[in-house]
Every structure is written in C-alpha cells, then in structure tokens.
Amino acid sequence: MEGFDVVQLAHAEIYTPNPEGTLWFFKEILGLEETAREGQSVYLRAYEDWYHHTLKVTEAKEAGLGHIAWRTASRAALERRVKALEAAGLGEGWTEDLGHGPAYRFRTPDGHRMELLFEVEYYEAPPEKRSKLKNRPSKRPLRGIPVRRLDHVNCLCSEVTPNRRFFEEVLGFKLREQKVRGEGEELGAWLSVSPLVHEIGLMRDATGARGRFHHIAFWYGYPQHLLDLADLLVEYDVPIEAGPGKHGTTQAYFMYVFEPGGTRVELFGDTGYLIFDPTWKTVVWDVTNVNDLEKSTIWFGGQLPATFYTYGTPPLKATEPVG
C-alpha cells in the first residue's frame, strides 16, 4: 500500500436491551444529537462529528457490538482492501445503511463484525443549530457534559497476536504501543492509521472468550470535563468503573462508565499524544517488569478493577467458564 488505504474510524453500532436508558445516557448525559431513526435503530452524532452519524444504537436482547465502520481514502482504496479481505477469507459481502454509501462487511479473526466504506453523508445542521465557528458542524449542546467527537474503539480478543497482525497486514494499520509478558505473550495492542496514538485497541480477554467488545470512546479534549462528568454521573446513578485517571499506555486521561444498556464507554479527557514520525518505533511495555506493569496501566489515579479485564459485551452466559 502507498500511504494508508484505511484512514479513519467512521462509526460504530452497539446493541442494547434497554434502548430508552441507552439513549437517555448518550443524549442527555453526553449530549449526542439524534439524526435519524429506522426500525429498531437510532443514529447519533457528537457536535464536532462531521458525518451523518458516528454511533448507531440498536435494540437487541443483550448488549453487544453491532459493527465498527472504517472509512477508506478513496473508492480505489476501498476496492484494494476488499480484495485483500477476500484473499484473507474474512469478507462477508456488501451492505447498505443510512448515512453512507455501499459498505463491505468483514470479520476479524476473532469474529468482530466490521465494515469498510468510502462514500459518506455529511451532517447539515438546521439554522438554529449552526455554529458561528465555521470549522464546527453544529453548536455545542446545552445538555449534560457534551462530548466533542468519536475517538476510538477497543475489542477483546481470545488471542491478541492474530488479530493485531490482521489489522497490520490486511488493513494497513500501524502498531503504536504494545503490552507483552515475557517471551512473546501479547496482552494488548494499540493501532492507528492517523497521528492519533490509537483508533483501535485490542486486549486479551481474561475469560478466554472470542469476539467480545470492550468499549467505545468519545473525546472531550479537556481533563476538567471528566471531573464535571463524574459529578453528574454520581448524581444520576450511572456506574463509574474506573477513573478519572491517566494511563501510561497512550497517556490518556480516562474515565470508564457503563451506560444503562451494559456497554462500557470511555470518556477521553485529552488527546494523549500524537504521532507524526513516519518511522515510529512501537512502544513496548513488558509487564513482567514491575515498573512497566504498574505505569503502563495507571500513571496516576486509582487502580483498575478486575472487571476491566473480564467484562465485555455480549456478557458471558452463566454456564460459560471463566479463565
């Protein structure tokens, strides 16, 4: 590939058994705007997201990942990646949805459903929602502590390595940071196609399950907003799993919460850091080293609970073994 064929995280779809609660959380607490409804699905965007939607919420029997969508650089780039996916035996064919043109569905080696697309519909704000900032697609909402844009996604994997290699070799992502243990045991990988330190994270599922979803993340850009949000969440009985705090890996100011439908949501308090070096060398944390173990996970703030490594969606059935 010359340059990047895949260039951006476009949107994600989550399933919820509690659509009323999930929509209340994203609209009233995080300030997302509804752009459309169709069937059992609602389409939403943050106020600095330029596309028709960046989040699709679909009613289902249990929480889970519907799909993750990536935009390509051109139609030709889309065609090249489709050929690569077909050669890898992971393609599923073409599909259509609101807000974008034809999308090619595929699965990761672990089974996460994703798609590639190029044509997108841009959001057009009605007059009362147009911002005086010409580089902002709509006004900052007056509800909750509004997030600015979709930032990244994180997937749990039964094994990180084959999924990480898939993103590198088939889709052209760059490995920015990596967490390992001893000789070759890969516990986590953070990859991107832009100067962001990651658009997708891959974590080993401590339960051994395949194809589960860890979290979707939205960006604030200001650490203070995490403190404001934490106060609001406690007031309205939304469970906070961890944070606010700062990761060593990615240098992210974070807070993890559970929306009422059961999906973990990360609120990103700043950019972390940006990568402009074309010959960037992957940052490797070896957790057999005490410093790497402690500082990669938490730079400052409280420790992550055990659920961080075991909880994902869809939730495990009571009969499924853990560990």
Side-chain angles (χ1 to χ4, degrees):
M1 281 183 291
E2 182 178 344
F4 288 99
D5 277 353
V6 180
V7 294
Q8 185 186 26
L9 173 62
H11 66 258
E13 177 190 21
I14 61 170
Y15 294 147
T16 175
N18 181 6
E20 183 177 345
T22 296
L23 291 173
W24 168 82
F25 171 82
F26 283 110
K27 294 167 73 172
E28 301 303 320
I29 301 295
L30 299 190
L32 269 62
E33 297 278 352
E34 180 178 329
T35 56
R37 290 188 179 224
E38 185 176 74
Q40 300 301 106
S41 298
V42 179
Y43 299 77
L44 306 158
R45 56 173 289 280
Y47 71 97
E48 288 190 348
D49 282 325
W50 288 92
Y51 301 158
H52 173 271
H53 68 279
T54 49
L55 177 65
K56 179 180 178 182
V57 173
T58 299
E59 183 176 0
K61 290 183 179 180
E62 61 182 3
L65 174 67
H67 71 278
I68 296 165
W70 305 93
R71 194 180 184 199
T72 62
S74 63
R75 291 185 182 86
L78 175 58
E79 292 171 1
R80 284 193 294 270
R81 291 308 99 210
V82 167
K83 289 180 180 178
L85 287 163
E86 290 175 341
L90 293 167
E92 292 191 334
W94 294 91
T95 185
E96 294 186 358
D97 199 354
L98 296 182
H100 60 80
Y104 186 80
R105 280 280 171 95
F106 64 95
R107 288 184 185 267
T108 66
D110 227 55
H112 305 95
R113 180 176 286 126
M114 301 192 180
E115 65 186 30
L116 294 179
L117 55 91
F118 171 65
E119 298 173 7
V120 295
E121 178 183 332
Y122 286 87
Y123 175 75
E124 291 289 339
E128 70 275 11
K129 291 185 179 180
R130 290 175 189 163
S131 174
K132 294 180 178 64
L133 271 175
K134 291 191 174 182
N135 51 15
R136 176 180 286 171
S138 58
K139 286 180 179 177
R140 188 181 193 274
L142 296 174
R143 302 182 311 279
I145 311 296
V147 293
R148 295 170 66 179
R149 62 166 172 78
L150 176 65
D151 190 84
H152 67 268
V153 290
N154 188 299
C155 294
L156 289 169
C157 305
S158 57
E159 292 183 79
V160 171
T161 301
N163 290 279
R164 184 258 301 165
R165 287 177 176 165
F166 165 77
F167 276 94
E168 289 182 290
E169 297 167 6
V170 180
L171 297 178
F173 281 66
K174 298 296 183 183
L175 179 61
R176 305 307 196 179
E177 296 203 28
Q178 185 180 42
K179 191 177 290 191
V180 301
R181 179 163 56 197
E183 296 296 324
E185 184 183 5
E186 193 168 7
L187 304 180
W190 290 262
L191 306 102
S192 74
V193 290
S194 77
L196 294 177
V197 66
H198 71 314
E199 280 109 352
I200 187 166
L202 304 173
M203 289 173 51
R204 193 183 69 171
D205 193 324
T207 70
R210 291 175 56 87
R212 297 201 301 159
F213 189 55
H214 193 269
H215 69 259
I216 185 170
F218 290 88
W219 184 70
Y220 280 110
Y222 301 105
Q224 176 62 42
H225 288 338
L226 296 187
L227 300 179
D228 298 332
L229 181 66
D231 188 58
L232 190 66
L233 295 175
V234 173
E235 193 78 85
Y236 286 88
D237 300 317
V238 177
I240 298 173
E241 182 186 32
K246 181 174 180 174
H247 291 306
T249 306
T250 76
Q251 292 195 42
Y253 282 86
F254 69 85
M255 182 163 62
Y256 295 94
V257 307
F258 293 109
E259 57 84 15
T263 294
R264 179 188 284 107
V265 180
E266 182 182 12
L267 290 313
F268 220 52
D270 73 341
T271 307
Y273 65 90
L274 300 174
I275 297 172
F276 301 102
D277 182 356
T279 57
W280 176 261
K281 293 182 180 179
T282 302
V283 175
V284 179
W285 303 83
D286 184 349
V287 300
T288 56
N289 175 293
V290 174
N291 179 76
D292 281 13
L293 174 64
E294 294 179 352
K295 300 308 180 187
S296 64
T297 304
I298 297 293
W299 182 247
F300 60 74
Q303 294 301 307
L304 298 176
T307 54
F308 191 80
Y309 304 100
T310 59
Y311 181 87
T313 57
L316 293 176
K317 305 297 186 294
T319 55
E320 292 182 78
V322 176

mmCIF file of all heavy atoms in Angstrom, residues 236-254:
data_model
loop_
_atom_site.group_PDB
_atom_site.id
_atom_site.type_symbol
_atom_site.label_atom_id
_atom_site.label_comp_id
_atom_site.label_asym_id
_atom_site.label_seq_id
_atom_site.Cartn_x
_atom_site.Cartn_y
_atom_site.Cartn_z
ATOM 1 N N TYR A 236 -26.699 11.064 39.047
ATOM 2 C CA TYR A 236 -27.772 10.377 38.323
ATOM 3 C C TYR A 236 -27.583 8.859 38.284
ATOM 4 O O TYR A 236 -28.165 8.179 37.439
ATOM 5 C CB TYR A 236 -27.887 10.956 36.905
ATOM 6 C CG TYR A 236 -28.521 12.331 36.918
ATOM 7 C CD1 TYR A 236 -27.738 13.469 37.073
ATOM 8 C CD2 TYR A 236 -29.910 12.481 36.843
ATOM 9 C CE1 TYR A 236 -28.322 14.733 37.120
ATOM 10 C CE2 TYR A 236 -30.497 13.733 36.888
ATOM 11 C CZ TYR A 236 -29.701 14.858 37.032
ATOM 12 O OH TYR A 236 -30.284 16.104 37.085
ATOM 13 N N ASP A 237 -26.797 8.322 39.204
ATOM 14 C CA ASP A 237 -26.685 6.874 39.420
ATOM 15 C C ASP A 237 -26.192 6.101 38.202
ATOM 16 O O ASP A 237 -26.616 4.969 37.952
ATOM 17 C CB ASP A 237 -28.035 6.300 39.874
ATOM 18 C CG ASP A 237 -28.516 6.919 41.181
ATOM 19 O OD1 ASP A 237 -27.689 7.077 42.095
ATOM 20 O OD2 ASP A 237 -29.715 7.250 41.269
ATOM 21 N N VAL A 238 -25.280 6.693 37.446
ATOM 22 C CA VAL A 238 -24.629 5.983 36.352
ATOM 23 C C VAL A 238 -23.313 5.416 36.883
ATOM 24 O O VAL A 238 -22.470 6.167 37.372
ATOM 25 C CB VAL A 238 -24.358 6.912 35.151
ATOM 26 C CG1 VAL A 238 -23.617 6.159 34.045
ATOM 27 C CG2 VAL A 238 -25.665 7.480 34.614
ATOM 28 N N PRO A 239 -23.117 4.098 36.841
ATOM 29 C CA PRO A 239 -21.930 3.498 37.469
ATOM 30 C C PRO A 239 -20.624 3.867 36.772
ATOM 31 O O PRO A 239 -20.490 3.757 35.555
ATOM 32 C CB PRO A 239 -22.196 1.990 37.386
ATOM 33 C CG PRO A 239 -23.227 1.829 36.323
ATOM 34 C CD PRO A 239 -24.039 3.082 36.300
ATOM 35 N N ILE A 240 -19.665 4.316 37.569
ATOM 36 C CA ILE A 240 -18.301 4.584 37.103
ATOM 37 C C ILE A 240 -17.453 3.368 37.442
ATOM 38 O O ILE A 240 -17.368 2.975 38.605
ATOM 39 C CB ILE A 240 -17.726 5.838 37.778
ATOM 40 C CG1 ILE A 240 -18.563 7.075 37.422
ATOM 41 C CG2 ILE A 240 -16.269 6.047 37.375
ATOM 42 C CD1 ILE A 240 -18.163 8.326 38.189
ATOM 43 N N GLU A 241 -16.839 2.779 36.446
ATOM 44 C CA GLU A 241 -15.987 1.612 36.691
ATOM 45 C C GLU A 241 -14.602 2.031 37.165
ATOM 46 O O GLU A 241 -14.041 1.419 38.082
ATOM 47 C CB GLU A 241 -15.857 0.775 35.413
ATOM 48 C CG GLU A 241 -15.020 -0.485 35.621
ATOM 49 C CD GLU A 241 -14.771 -1.244 34.337
ATOM 50 O OE1 GLU A 241 -14.684 -0.611 33.259
ATOM 51 O OE2 GLU A 241 -14.653 -2.473 34.400
ATOM 52 N N ALA A 242 -14.032 3.068 36.549
ATOM 53 C CA ALA A 242 -12.671 3.484 36.898
ATOM 54 C C ALA A 242 -12.440 4.921 36.468
ATOM 55 O O ALA A 242 -13.001 5.387 35.469
ATOM 56 C CB ALA A 242 -11.647 2.572 36.225
ATOM 57 N N GLY A 243 -11.591 5.621 37.239
ATOM 58 C CA GLY A 243 -11.208 6.978 36.911
ATOM 59 C C GLY A 243 -12.065 8.011 37.619
ATOM 60 O O GLY A 243 -12.941 7.659 38.425
ATOM 61 N N PRO A 244 -11.790 9.290 37.294
ATOM 62 C CA PRO A 244 -10.802 9.758 36.336
ATOM 63 C C PRO A 244 -9.370 9.429 36.766
ATOM 64 O O PRO A 244 -9.053 9.371 37.937
ATOM 65 C CB PRO A 244 -11.023 11.274 36.295
ATOM 66 C CG PRO A 244 -12.421 11.481 36.801
ATOM 67 C CD PRO A 244 -12.619 10.395 37.825
ATOM 68 N N GLY A 245 -8.529 9.224 35.758
ATOM 69 C CA GLY A 245 -7.130 8.927 35.980
ATOM 70 C C GLY A 245 -6.385 9.047 34.657
ATOM 71 O O GLY A 245 -6.940 9.515 33.655
ATOM 72 N N LYS A 246 -5.122 8.625 34.670
ATOM 73 C CA LYS A 246 -4.315 8.685 33.449
ATOM 74 C C LYS A 246 -3.606 7.368 33.235
ATOM 75 O O LYS A 246 -2.955 6.839 34.138
ATOM 76 C CB LYS A 246 -3.292 9.820 33.521
ATOM 77 C CG LYS A 246 -2.439 9.947 32.259
ATOM 78 C CD LYS A 246 -1.531 11.158 32.289
ATOM 79 C CE LYS A 246 -0.704 11.231 30.999
ATOM 80 N NZ LYS A 246 0.102 12.462 30.919
ATOM 81 N N HIS A 247 -3.736 6.816 32.014
ATOM 82 C CA HIS A 247 -2.989 5.632 31.617
ATOM 83 C C HIS A 247 -1.549 6.020 31.260
ATOM 84 O O HIS A 247 -1.301 7.126 30.766
ATOM 85 C CB HIS A 247 -3.593 4.990 30.362
ATOM 86 C CG HIS A 247 -4.925 4.348 30.559
ATOM 87 N ND1 HIS A 247 -5.172 3.399 31.526
ATOM 88 C CD2 HIS A 247 -6.094 4.502 29.876
ATOM 89 C CE1 HIS A 247 -6.424 2.994 31.438
ATOM 90 N NE2 HIS A 247 -7.015 3.654 30.458
ATOM 91 N N GLY A 248 -0.604 5.094 31.499
ATOM 92 C CA GLY A 248 0.720 5.259 30.933
ATOM 93 C C GLY A 248 0.669 4.953 29.449
ATOM 94 O O GLY A 248 1.107 5.735 28.606
ATOM 95 N N THR A 249 0.111 3.794 29.096
ATOM 96 C CA THR A 249 -0.122 3.450 27.700
ATOM 97 C C THR A 249 -1.049 4.497 27.085
ATOM 98 O O THR A 249 -2.120 4.773 27.624
ATOM 99 C CB THR A 249 -0.777 2.060 27.598
ATOM 100 O OG1 THR A 249 0.024 1.121 28.294
ATOM 101 C CG2 THR A 249 -0.929 1.637 26.147
ATOM 102 N N THR A 250 -0.619 5.100 26.000
ATOM 103 C CA THR A 250 -1.330 6.146 25.234
ATOM 104 C C THR A 250 -1.388 7.491 25.956
ATOM 105 O O THR A 250 -1.807 8.472 25.369
ATOM 106 C CB THR A 250 -2.771 5.751 24.829
ATOM 107 O OG1 THR A 250 -3.655 5.851 25.962
ATOM 108 C CG2 THR A 250 -2.840 4.367 24.225
ATOM 109 N N GLN A 251 -0.970 7.576 27.218
ATOM 110 C CA GLN A 251 -1.023 8.803 28.013
ATOM 111 C C GLN A 251 -2.432 9.407 28.072
ATOM 112 O O GLN A 251 -2.605 10.624 28.110
ATOM 113 C CB GLN A 251 -0.040 9.859 27.493
ATOM 114 C CG GLN A 251 1.419 9.492 27.698
ATOM 115 C CD GLN A 251 2.332 10.676 27.511
ATOM 116 O OE1 GLN A 251 2.048 11.779 27.954
ATOM 117 N NE2 GLN A 251 3.442 10.443 26.828
ATOM 118 N N ALA A 252 -3.435 8.580 28.122
ATOM 119 C CA ALA A 252 -4.815 9.046 28.054
ATOM 120 C C ALA A 252 -5.355 9.413 29.423
ATOM 121 O O ALA A 252 -5.243 8.641 30.369
ATOM 122 C CB ALA A 252 -5.693 7.960 27.448
ATOM 123 N N TYR A 253 -5.978 10.595 29.531
ATOM 124 C CA TYR A 253 -6.816 10.921 30.680
ATOM 125 C C TYR A 253 -8.157 10.226 30.454
ATOM 126 O O TYR A 253 -8.847 10.512 29.475
ATOM 127 C CB TYR A 253 -7.028 12.429 30.789
ATOM 128 C CG TYR A 253 -5.861 13.170 31.372
ATOM 129 C CD1 TYR A 253 -4.805 13.589 30.564
ATOM 130 C CD2 TYR A 253 -5.814 13.468 32.731
ATOM 131 C CE1 TYR A 253 -3.730 14.278 31.096
ATOM 132 C CE2 TYR A 253 -4.744 14.160 33.272
ATOM 133 C CZ TYR A 253 -3.702 14.569 32.449
ATOM 134 O OH TYR A 253 -2.649 15.251 32.984
ATOM 135 N N PHE A 254 -8.539 9.334 31.362
ATOM 136 C CA PHE A 254 -9.661 8.444 31.095
ATOM 137 C C PHE A 254 -10.695 8.462 32.211
ATOM 138 O O PHE A 254 -10.416 8.812 33.351
ATOM 139 C CB PHE A 254 -9.166 7.003 30.915
ATOM 140 C CG PHE A 254 -8.641 6.405 32.207
ATOM 141 C CD1 PHE A 254 -9.507 5.809 33.122
ATOM 142 C CD2 PHE A 254 -7.294 6.448 32.521
ATOM 143 C CE1 PHE A 254 -9.041 5.262 34.318
ATOM 144 C CE2 PHE A 254 -6.810 5.908 33.722
ATOM 145 C CZ PHE A 254 -7.691 5.330 34.619
#
